[in-house]
């Protein structure tokens, strides 16, 4: 009986152990299945996002990240990329590049986002490529690059190689209400792509110059105080990339440089090209991004049967037969004109008379023009004018013009005509004239208790983009506008009013506290109230017709001010926390002036 009981007990324990093992195996299998299912789900989700969205953001990730133009979403896409900071928190900040490119459905691009450098290590580039896998073919197919910052702390302000670097910290003058910037000291250093001193293929160049302390880019920096250069394919007479032998299984990518031959004719080879990658409306800035890099792509115009080309914002370059460039105090022979139409250079002939150089075309509709110096002097351009067809002035040196680049002058038909008295509705970056790299920014997080609008480096947040739209007029005399839709016709430009809303949460730029107090701070933590139409939320935007704008309040009168006050940057300190906006008065000159850069159509 005891033996039988022992046998039964052993059987029970054995079955229990077997059951426990079976349950363990089942649970382990289920856990592994759940993990695999989750991983598969994440992969599917990522693929669906890539294939279905016409707008994506890419943060740092080891390796390339694919974007596939969704079905039925052919059109023009704006790409924005930021290089990574070098040297931990003390190194140079990453640079910025943007442009608009045409993509067809199913077309693939690969985004490689730079990693922030550790102590003594430069920041990684952020690049857009046509080929994947981060090999030689992939690196040669880069069509846009934002350079990373150098690792040395002395490169923290201007992180990328630059034609010139200027500081205006010591050139702001004024007492109490009267502030202005010395005109000759306005523009800060900016990095562009066509470096005549760096010849040869950038991939080969970077194999030689691969210092870990330098920032990485289209061309790597050579030391800890240098960042990588930025690059936009086809911009301002720089290299453009084309795919050759696209029918083969391994297409190659080549670069060609626009240049002039001995007869002053443009010389470039596109006869073998079967596909090109050219950006419209390019812009580059240096020293703006802290931490890892960033990349964004967003469709701005969908291609349809009725829309077969990117709509122009400025028609001043239509029907151009000649462009005259006059420059006092410098040799105009040092400048060549690169005119682009449909992604291709438009040939022209030139002649020089005195201090003017005239470029003659065959009555062309131009997309962009770039006047580039063959011998950069490292100085700002001054005393110049650009006139089309002997009658239309495109730009002069009488104002603060963002068309000035380190190498010359760049004018795009895909930005509004900032010399006009009109204000185009849309989404903008708003730059104070005191900086080329800082934009008006609202708070990112609800935890930011002050919620004060500041001037901060263009680092990539939605809190830095602003929607500007006209509203039904609430005039100073209380009368309604007679014609809102034709606000630049019968209605005076001085009587147009706008709401300015951030894109991060659609809050409206507004005067804080007592609306009639001079030096009030500016906030954006409430939506626009279309019913009460509060004066502190309503603005007049006046073009000074020199490339800049004043943004004035609709409040009738401020304490101690006879006219409505306007936005003003309170200080030009390098500390972003001190660059906040306040209400100024009529005497505040340059600190109350702003550049606009339009992002959409």
């Amino acid at each position: 009986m005891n033996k039988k009981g022992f046998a039964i007990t052993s059987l029970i324990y054995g079955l229990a152990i077997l059951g426990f093992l079976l349950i363990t195996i089942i649970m382990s299998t289920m856990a592994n299945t759940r993990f695999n299912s989750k991983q598969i789900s994440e992969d599917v989700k990522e693929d669906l996002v890539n294939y279905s969205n016409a707008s994506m953001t890419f943060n740092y990730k080891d390796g390339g990240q694919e974007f596939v133009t969704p079905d039925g979403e052919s059109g023009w896409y704006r790409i924005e990329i930021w290089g990574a900071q070098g040297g931990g928190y003390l190194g140079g900040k990453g640079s910025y590049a943007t442009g608009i490119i045409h993509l067809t459905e199913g077309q693939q691009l690969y985004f490689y986002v730079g990693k922030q450098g550790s102590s003594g290590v430069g920041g990684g580039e952020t690049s857009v490529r046509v080929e994947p896998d981060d090999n030689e073919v992939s690196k040669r197919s880069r069509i846009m690059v934002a350079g990373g910052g150098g690792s040395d702390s002395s490169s923290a302000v201007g992180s990328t190689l630059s034609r010139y670097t200027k500081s205006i910290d010591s050139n702001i003058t004024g007492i109490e209400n009267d502030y202005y910037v010395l005109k000759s000291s306005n523009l800060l250093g900016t990095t562009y792509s066509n470096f005549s001193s760096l010849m040869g293929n950038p991939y080969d160049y970077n194999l030689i110059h691969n210092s870990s302390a330098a920032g990485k880019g289209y061309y790597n920096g050579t030391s800890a105080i240098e960042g990588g250069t930025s690059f936009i394919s086809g911009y301002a007479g720089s290299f453009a990339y084309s795919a050759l032998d696209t029918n083969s299984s391994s297409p190659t990518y080549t670069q060609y440089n626009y240049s002039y031959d001995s007869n002053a004719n443009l010389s470039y080879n596109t006869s073998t090209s079967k596909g090109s990658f050219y950006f419209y409306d390019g812009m580059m800035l240096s020293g703006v991004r802290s931490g890892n890099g960033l990349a964004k792509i967003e469709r701005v115009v969908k291609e349809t049967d009725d829309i077969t080309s990117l709509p122009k914002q400025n028609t001043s370059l239509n029907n151009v037969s000649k462009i005259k460039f006059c420059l006092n105090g410098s040799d105009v022979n040092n400048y060549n004109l690169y005119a682009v139409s449909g992604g291709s250079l438009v040939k022209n002939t030139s002649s020089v008379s005195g201090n003017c150089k005239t470029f003659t075309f065959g009555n062309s509709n131009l997309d962009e023009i770039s006047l580039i110096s063959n011998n950069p002097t490292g100085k700002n351009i001054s005393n110049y004018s650009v006139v089309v067809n002997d009658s239309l002035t495109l730009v002069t040196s009488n104002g603060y013009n963002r068309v000035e680049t380190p190498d010359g002058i760049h004018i795009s038909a895909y930005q509004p005509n900032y010399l006009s008295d009109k204000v185009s509705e849309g989404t903008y970056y708003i730059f104070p004239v005191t900086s080329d790299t800082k934009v008006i920014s609202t708070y990112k997080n609800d935890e930011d208790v002050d919620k004060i609008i500041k001037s901060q480096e263009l680092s990539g947040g939605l809190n830095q983009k602003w929607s500007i739209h006209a509203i039904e007029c609430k005039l100073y005399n209380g009368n309604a506008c007679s014609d809102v839709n034709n606000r630049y016709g019968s209605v005076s430009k001085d009587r147009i009013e706008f709401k300015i809303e951030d894109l991060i949460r659609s809050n409206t730029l507004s005067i804080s506290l007592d609306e009639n107090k001079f030096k009030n701070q500016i906030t954006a933590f409430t939506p626009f109230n279309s019913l009460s139409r509060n004066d502190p939320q309503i603005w007049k935007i006046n073009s000074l017709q020199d490339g800049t704008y004043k943004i004035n309040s609709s409040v009738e009168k401020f304490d101690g001010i006879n006219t409505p006050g306007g936005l003003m940057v309170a200080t030009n300190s390098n500390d972003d926390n001190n660059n906040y906006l306040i209400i100024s008065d009529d005497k505040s000159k340059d600190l109350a002036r702003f550049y606009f850069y339009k992002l959409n159509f």
Side-chain angles (χ1 to χ4, degrees):
M1 188 70 180
N2 288 337
K3 290 182 179 180
K4 184 177 180 180
F6 176 77
I8 294 173
T9 302
S10 298
L11 180 62
I12 293 173
Y13 276 110
L15 291 173
I17 293 172
L18 181 63
F20 176 77
L21 290 174
L22 183 61
I23 292 172
T24 301
I25 292 172
I26 293 172
M27 291 182 67
S28 177
T29 302
M30 290 177 63
N32 189 56
T33 302
R34 283 196 300 271
F35 175 81
N36 290 334
S37 298
K38 182 178 180 181
Q39 186 62 46
I40 293 172
S41 175
E42 291 296 324
D43 291 341
V44 170
K45 180 181 178 182
E46 183 175 350
D47 288 340
L48 287 174
V49 167
N50 283 346
Y51 280 88
S52 63
N53 283 357
S55 174
M56 289 189 68
T57 296
F58 300 97
N59 294 296
Y60 168 71
K61 181 180 179 180
D62 189 20
Q65 301 176 69
E66 184 183 50
F67 172 82
V68 180
T69 310
D71 292 343
E73 300 294 343
S74 296
W76 290 266
Y77 287 74
R78 176 173 291 282
I79 295 177
E80 296 183 275
I81 57 175
W82 288 261
Q85 184 180 14
Y89 293 103
L90 297 178
K93 296 179 180 179
S95 57
Y96 168 79
T98 185
I100 297 173
I101 190 170
H102 180 264
L103 299 175
T104 57
E105 61 179 56
Q107 192 164 356
Q108 297 163 298
L109 293 178
Y110 300 90
F111 289 79
Y112 287 79
V113 180
K115 180 181 181 181
Q116 180 179 7
S118 57
S119 178
V121 178
E125 69 169 52
T126 295
S127 60
V128 184
R129 309 181 189 183
V130 180
E131 293 288 340
D133 298 333
D134 201 24
N135 52 24
E136 179 180 349
V137 172
S138 173
K139 290 177 180 177
R140 290 183 186 275
S141 75
R142 294 176 297 173
I143 57 175
M144 179 183 280
V145 179
S151 61
D152 194 283
S153 59
S154 64
S155 66
V157 176
S159 68
T160 53
L161 289 170
S162 177
R163 291 294 195 191
Y164 66 92
T165 302
K166 300 198 72 172
S167 172
I168 60 173
D169 291 349
S170 60
N171 290 306
I172 290 185
T173 183
I175 301 175
E176 191 60 26
N177 300 341
D178 192 2
Y179 301 91
Y180 62 94
V181 179
L182 301 182
K183 180 179 291 188
S184 62
S185 304
N186 181 64
L187 292 177
L188 298 180
T190 308
T191 297
Y192 287 80
S193 60
N194 50 333
F195 282 81
S196 59
S197 61
L198 301 176
M199 302 304 293
N201 190 291
Y203 175 79
D204 299 328
Y205 176 93
N206 288 345
L207 289 179
I208 300 172
H209 297 284
N210 55 9
S211 167
S212 61
K216 305 303 181 288
Y218 184 68
Y219 291 104
N220 290 342
T222 60
S223 68
I225 62 172
E226 292 182 354
T229 61
S230 298
F231 168 73
I232 299 176
S233 178
Y235 172 73
S238 64
F239 296 124
Y241 273 97
S242 292
L244 303 179
D245 301 325
T246 53
N247 292 326
S248 72
S249 58
S250 301
T252 59
Y253 292 85
T254 187
Q255 60 189 28
Y256 54 89
N257 195 16
Y258 301 142
S259 60
Y260 280 80
D261 61 23
S262 58
N263 296 319
N265 293 318
L266 284 171
S267 174
Y268 57 100
N269 179 17
T270 59
S271 60
T272 58
S273 172
K274 297 182 179 180
S276 60
F277 302 91
Y278 173 84
F279 284 91
Y280 300 89
D281 194 31
M283 181 177 72
M284 293 181 245
L285 304 174
S286 63
V288 296
R289 176 76 181 179
S290 298
N292 292 330
L294 182 69
K296 296 183 176 184
I297 181 171
E298 180 179 12
R299 195 193 66 220
V300 291
V301 176
K302 184 175 181 177
E303 186 174 11
T304 65
D305 291 339
D306 297 325
I307 303 176
T308 57
S309 61
L310 185 64
K312 293 183 178 180
Q313 304 286 293
N314 182 356
T315 59
S316 299
L317 293 178
N318 284 354
N319 300 315
V320 175
S321 59
K322 61 181 175 180
I323 293 176
K324 181 183 286 187
F325 173 53
C326 297
L327 180 65
N328 291 327
S330 183
D331 188 358
V332 73
N333 279 298
N334 285 335
Y335 286 83
N336 285 321
L337 177 70
Y338 299 93
V340 179
S341 178
S344 299
L345 283 174
V346 180
K347 294 185 178 182
N348 63 80
T349 59
S350 63
S351 61
V352 176
S353 177
N355 64 341
C356 295
K357 190 171 186 178
T358 300
F359 304 88
T360 303
F361 301 84
N363 226 37
S364 302
N365 292 327
L366 305 179
D367 298 331
E368 298 174 288
I369 63 170
S370 299
L371 285 151
I372 304 297
S373 172
N374 295 324
N375 301 301
T377 60
K379 297 180 180 179
N380 293 339
I381 306 169
S382 60
N383 299 319
Y384 66 85
S385 63
V386 181
V387 178
V388 173
N389 298 343
D390 292 328
S391 59
L392 177 62
T393 300
L394 282 182
V395 65
T396 70
S397 56
N398 293 332
Y400 298 116
N401 297 301
R402 288 191 63 82
V403 299
E404 296 176 4
T405 74
D407 299 308
I409 296 169
H410 179 74
I411 299 173
S412 169
Y414 302 103
Q415 285 292 312
N417 182 1
Y418 295 121
L419 299 182
S420 132
D421 61 4
K422 296 183 179 181
V423 179
S424 174
E425 296 179 316
T427 301
Y428 287 87
Y429 288 129
I430 302 176
F431 293 82
V433 302
T434 51
S435 172
D436 257 0
T437 60
K438 292 182 178 180
V439 293
I440 303 307
S441 311
T442 185
Y443 63 103
K444 291 182 180 179
N445 305 310
D446 292 335
E447 293 77 19
D448 295 343
V449 293
D450 55 14
K451 301 182 177 66
I452 296 172
I453 304 301
K454 298 175 181 177
S455 171
Q456 297 178 317
E457 301 289 5
L458 198 169
S459 57
L462 276 178
N463 63 314
Q464 298 185 325
K465 294 182 178 180
W466 298 89
S467 172
I468 298 177
H469 286 281
I471 60 176
E472 294 183 6
C473 295
K474 180 176 181 180
L475 303 179
Y476 298 149
N477 59 11
N479 296 329
C481 279
S482 58
D483 187 354
V484 174
N485 293 325
N486 187 26
R487 56 187 182 280
Y488 300 114
S490 59
V491 179
S492 167
K493 69 181 179 65
D494 293 328
R495 298 168 62 187
I496 307 306
E497 295 174 330
F498 296 84
K499 59 180 179 179
I500 304 175
E501 299 172 306
D502 66 43
L503 258 61
I504 193 169
R505 53 181 64 83
S506 298
N507 286 341
T508 306
L509 201 68
S510 180
I511 303 171
S512 178
L513 304 175
D514 181 357
E515 65 188 48
N516 292 316
K517 187 174 179 58
F518 174 50
K519 292 187 178 180
N520 265 351
Q521 294 179 340
I522 308 300
T523 61
F525 58 88
T526 56
F528 180 74
N529 191 324
S530 58
L531 297 177
S532 63
R533 298 175 50 78
N534 295 325
D535 282 345
Q537 292 186 325
I538 300 175
W539 303 92
K540 295 200 307 176
I541 303 175
N542 293 326
S543 169
L544 300 180
Q545 300 183 45
D546 62 356
T548 66
Y549 291 85
K550 293 197 75 170
I551 304 175
N552 283 34
S553 171
S554 68
V555 175
E556 292 188 15
K557 189 178 294 186
F558 286 82
D559 181 26
I561 306 176
N562 293 325
T563 58
L567 296 187
M568 181 181 80
V569 180
T571 177
N572 192 49
S573 166
N574 286 328
D575 180 4
D576 283 343
N577 292 324
N578 291 326
N579 282 271
Y580 55 88
L581 266 66
I582 61 174
I583 282 293
S584 70
D585 68 355
D586 231 15
K587 295 181 181 180
S588 299
K589 299 180 178 66
D590 297 330
L591 299 191
R593 296 156 66 106
F594 300 88
Y595 297 117
F596 287 177
Y597 185 82
K598 194 173 185 184
L599 297 167
N600 63 352
F601 290 81

